[in-house]
Amino acid sequence: MNKMNLRVIYCLLAVVPLFLQGCGLLGKRGRGDDQGELVGVQGREGWKQVIPYGMVLVPSGVFHMGQADEDVPATQINMNRQITIGGFYMDDTEITNNEYRQFINIMLTDSVSVLGEDYIMKELYPDTTVWVKDFAHHMGDPMMEYYYMHPAFDDYPVVGVDWWAAKYFCEWRTKYLNTYRAGQGDFAMPNFRLPSEAEWEYAARGGRDMAKYPWGNPYLTNTLGCLLANFKPGRGNYYNDGYMYTAPVASYFSNDYGLYDMSGNVAEWTEDAYNPAAAAVTWDLNPTYNDDNEPRKVVRGGSWKDVAYYLETGTRTFEYQDTTKAYIGFRCAMTYLGRSSGREF
C-alpha cells in the first residue's frame, strides 16, 4: 500500500466519526454524553403544572350524567348514562366585571392596530344594553349605565358577553399567562378554554353522584330556611334569596370541589354545540359535541331570573352563539396534564 492510499484512509478515519457524530449517531459529546444509550431528549425536565390563580382542581372520576330528578317538561334531552371525566382546573367563580375589564383594557391598549377599535367595542366589549332590551317595560337604565363600569359591581359576574367573546377571552388569557411564563424561562401552560358540557355538569355536582343541586340535597333551602342560590324562588319574587339581580360572586356556599355559583347567579356558556340527542352520539369518555354549523351553544346552571328547574345540575338549555344576555356569563377551564387517577389531587 503506497503512501497516497494511507493518507486517504487516515483522512476517512478522521472525517467519518465527525460525520456520524453530526448526525447524532455517536452520542452527544459535550451535551450530556448519552454514551450511545437511548436516554431521550435532555433539557425538558422540571415541568410541574401549577394551579392558575382563581382556579380549583376538579379530579378525574366517573359519574352518572343526566337528569337528576323528574324531567318536568318531558324534554327527554338528557338521559342518564355513566361517563368518565379526566382531571381539569376550573375557575372557582364566574368571570367578574373587573376581571373582564382587565382583558378589555389590554385589548384597547395593545390590539387596536390589529383588531380595530370598532371590533373590540362591538364584539368583545360587554353589551350593557341587555339590561334594557332583554325585559319588556323594565326600568333597566340604572343597570345599563352602572353594572359594568361602576366599581360597586366589580365583583359581580360579567354579562352581555356572547359565546365568541368568551372564547376570545380564553385565548387572550392563555397568551397572557404563557407570555409571562416564557419570560421567566418556564414551560407553557395548557390553554384556557370553556368547559365542555360534561365537564361542567361533573364539576357542578362536586363529587356527589346524581346530586340534584351542587350542594347535594334536593332542597333549595338549608335548615335555617335560607335559600342556597340566587334565582327566582316564586312568581314575581326575585328578592328572597337576598339579591334582585345578580349577586357578588361567591356570595353563597361552594360545592365540595370549592366551586361557587354553579347554580344560579348567571347561567354559563359551555364549549358544546347543542344537540337534543348529544347523549346518544357522544363517547362515554370525556364526551363533547362539536358542530361548527350549529349556532346554538349549550348554557348551564340557571340564573338570577330563572325558576329552580334551571338550577338543577342535569337541566340542559341553549342560546345562540352570537347572542348577549343579562343573565349569561362564563368561567374558564384548563386541562390537567399528567396522571389521570385523581389521587395526586
Side-chain angles (χ1 to χ4, degrees), residues 47-157:
W47 161 255
K48 182 178 180 182
Q49 189 163 357
V50 298
I51 303 176
Y53 179 79
M55 286 190 152
V56 297
L57 293 162
V58 179
S60 307
V62 178
F63 83 113
H64 289 84
M65 184 176 180
Q67 206 71 37
D69 201 352
E70 181 183 2
D71 185 9
V72 177
T75 61
Q76 300 186 33
I77 60 174
N78 203 14
M79 299 300 185
N80 294 103
R81 62 174 183 149
Q82 182 170 273
I83 65 170
T84 298
I85 296 292
F88 61 99
Y89 299 97
M90 195 176 205
D91 282 324
D92 60 355
T93 70
E94 295 129 344
I95 298 299
T96 65
N97 283 323
N98 209 28
E99 289 170 336
Y100 198 83
R101 186 177 298 109
Q102 179 183 357
F103 159 62
I104 290 295
N105 288 351
I106 292 176
M107 288 293 101
L108 291 173
T109 302
D110 298 340
S111 300
V112 171
S113 61
V114 178
L115 299 176
E117 185 174 356
D118 187 63
Y119 175 85
I120 295 172
M121 297 304 294
K122 287 184 177 181
E123 303 297 331
L124 303 179
Y125 195 90
D127 180 7
T128 58
T129 64
V130 293
W131 292 105
V132 173
K133 66 185 183 183
D134 280 359
F135 314 106
H137 306 292
H138 160 249
M139 192 178 71
D141 289 27
M143 296 294 284
M144 178 179 67
E145 183 175 356
Y146 297 116
Y147 184 78
Y148 177 67
M149 287 304 299
H150 200 281
F153 294 100
D154 274 358
D155 293 328
Y156 286 65

Side-chain angles (χ1 to χ4, degrees), residues 156 230-231 238-248 251-252 265 304:
Y156 286 65
N230 179 18
F231 67 111
Y238 296 86
Y239 186 70
N240 278 5
D241 53 41
Y243 299 93
M244 290 184 296
Y245 296 103
T246 58
S251 292
Y252 301 87
N265 213 14
W304 58 268

Side-chain angles (χ1 to χ4, degrees), residues 17 20 26 183 193 235-236 272:
L20 293 176
L26 289 182
R193 55 179 174 78
R235 185 183 298 273
D272 290 33

Side-chain angles (χ1 to χ4, degrees), residues 124 130 142 197 237 289 318:
L124 303 179
V130 293
E197 180 182 15
N237 178 4
Y289 185 79
F318 68 87

Side-chain angles (χ1 to χ4, degrees), residues 255-274:
N255 69 7
D256 288 350
Y257 285 156
L259 297 165
Y260 296 89
D261 302 320
M262 295 300 284
S263 284
N265 213 14
V266 294
E268 301 175 15
W269 291 112
T270 69
E271 181 69 29
D272 290 33
Y274 178 76

